[in-house]
Amino acid sequence: MKAGVLQNVNEVTYTTVAEPALEAGDLLLKVKAATICGTDIRILRGKKTSGIRYPSVLGHEFAGVVVETGGHTQFTKGQAVCVCPQFACGHCEYCIRGAENLCRGLTAMGYEIDGAFAEYVRIPASGVRSGNVFPMPEGLSFEAAALAEPLACVMNGQERVGVKMGEIVTVLGAGPIGILHVKLARLSGARCIIVSEPSPMRREAAMRAGADIVIDPTAEDVLARVKASSDGLGADVAIMAIGVPSLANDAIRLVRHRGRVSLFAGFSKGIQAELDVNAIHYNELIVTGAFGLTRLTFETALNMIASGKLEVDSLLTHRFGLPDIVTALATAEQGSAIKVAIVGD
């Protein structure tokens, strides 16, 4: 089969690889759509290394059709499915407490397990048995279904930081994750959503997604605009949707006393930031991280997309075939797109 193979840091090639070797109970899917995540770019550039093998196949946001059922009677050949790509053990202390995204034995598609930038992808029997494979709701496109994974991650992040009705929410960064934060905050009842983003194209996308105020941080004082929109107090919530550690203190300064800050975006390994601990202490701020998703958030996100409660098609600004995987990754990295999809036959 053909695949986009991560050969080494900074090197992806479109090449022929062996068909996935199936073991008992494995599911085989023909990939119909896979979207590019910022983490894929970080892996490509060597900024994220945990669990990554060389060579390997990236891609963890995807949907496809069943080719081999592995003996699982709940699936049929030709059935459309999508996959929650993080597989938890189900019995460690974190899984027992409902935090399977923090499972001590967590494995993931596109990391330890070859992912979906390929014609076919193998879903391990363990992932099938644990309920990580979901039938696609009728009428949902494969591309939209692939976006259940990033939306589920955003849902986890907003649950952690506690976005509430009537609040002022500031989002730093209007890439695909920032746009999803805008949409979800709007759906959660935020009364004012402020977005800081240097790209004109992405600022326009944020406004269309439901932002009330969009700011170019290279030309305007973000703190002044946030203060002016909040009676001088600051936002209730600030969400970092871009992995730039130096912006952490900016996020802390943007919130009011007892405000909350989400360090949502992934950061490069080994890079640290100084935090204004006095501001956190004296202003009684809550600073939280957010990582990954659970099967429950994935299923909820999938149903929200399928029901039309949260629209995602507008995020898909660029589409490529698998042979153009190198160009697709470059397009995603350059920031000239919102979300890039690899579309299969």
Side-chain angles (χ1 to χ4, degrees):
M1 71 171 184
K2 294 290 188 179
V5 179
L6 178 68
Q7 303 288 4
N8 215 318
V9 173
N10 295 323
E11 183 186 1
V12 168
T13 57
Y14 174 68
T15 188
T16 300
V17 298
E19 299 286 335
L22 301 183
E23 299 178 3
D26 288 353
L27 208 63
L28 183 66
L29 307 184
K30 181 175 177 59
V31 179
K32 302 296 285 186
T35 50
I36 295 176
C37 173
T39 301
D40 296 319
I41 305 299
R42 290 170 55 223
I43 293 170
L44 171 61
R45 298 306 175 204
K47 296 179 178 180
K48 182 176 179 62
T49 58
S50 177
I52 306 305
R53 299 164 292 107
Y54 301 97
S56 66
V57 180
L58 301 180
H60 58 273
E61 304 172 0
F62 65 96
V65 296
V66 176
V67 176
E68 297 290 344
T69 66
H72 297 283
T73 57
Q74 70 268 40
F75 299 109
T76 59
K77 290 185 179 181
Q79 182 179 8
V81 298
C82 51
V83 180
C84 176
Q86 291 185 345
F87 304 147
C89 73
H91 53 75
C92 72
E93 52 267 50
Y94 294 109
C95 287
I96 290 170
R97 287 166 172 76
E100 62 186 37
N101 57 313
L102 302 179
C103 170
R104 296 181 70 178
L106 194 71
T107 57
M109 305 293 297
Y111 293 74
E112 296 86 356
I113 305 162
D114 277 344
F117 295 159
E119 290 182 290
Y120 297 92
V121 63
R122 177 185 75 93
I123 312 301
S126 60
V128 183
R129 288 194 302 268
S130 62
N132 283 66
V133 182
F134 293 81
M136 272 177 48
E138 187 175 351
L140 186 63
S141 72
F142 290 104
E143 295 169 17
L147 295 179
E149 194 276 347
L151 175 57
C153 294
V154 167
M155 290 172 57
N156 175 53
Q158 291 206 13
E159 182 178 357
R160 295 288 302 154
V161 79
V163 174
K164 300 181 182 69
M165 292 182 63
E167 292 192 318
I168 298 173
V169 177
T170 298
V171 180
L172 303 182
I177 289 297
I179 296 294
L180 286 173
H181 272 295
V182 170
K183 286 177 173 286
L184 188 59
R186 177 59 69 210
L187 197 61
S188 298
R191 68 181 170 93
C192 181
I193 302 172
I194 304 167
V195 174
S196 172
E197 168 57 55
S199 163
M201 180 270 292
R202 290 185 167 184
R203 287 200 302 273
E204 292 176 9
M207 188 65 76
R208 291 194 300 270
D212 299 288
I213 299 169
V214 294
I215 304 168
D216 177 357
T218 67
E220 300 180 73
D221 186 329
V222 177
L223 179 59
R225 289 291 303 275
V226 171
K227 292 278 191 179
S229 303
S230 59
D231 297 323
L233 297 176
D236 297 285
V237 175
I239 298 171
M240 283 186 63
I242 182 170
V244 179
S246 61
L247 294 179
N249 273 328
D250 290 345
I252 286 170
R253 284 189 286 269
L254 290 174
V255 296
R256 65 180 65 207
H257 293 187
R258 292 195 172 180
R260 288 104 63 204
V261 176
S262 173
L263 305 182
F264 180 88
F267 301 93
S268 298
K269 182 179 179 180
I271 295 180
Q272 299 186 12
E274 294 184 3
L275 294 182
D276 187 346
V277 291
N278 277 319
I280 296 170
H281 172 76
Y282 288 107
N283 298 344
E284 295 191 353
L285 306 184
I286 294 175
V287 181
T288 184
F291 167 71
L293 70 163
T294 66
R295 289 167 296 169
L296 178 59
T297 52
F298 185 90
E299 182 178 30
T300 303
L302 182 63
N303 290 334
M304 287 177 65
I305 293 171
S307 68
K309 294 291 185 183
L310 196 146
E311 183 272 337
V312 296
D313 288 335
S314 59
L315 274 71
L316 296 160
T317 56
H318 292 67
R319 294 168 174 83
F320 296 89
L322 183 60
D324 298 316
I325 181 65
V326 175
T327 302
L329 287 164
T331 301
E333 184 174 19
Q334 291 162 4
S336 56
I338 300 297
K339 196 69 171 176
V340 176
I342 309 297
V343 181
D345 297 333

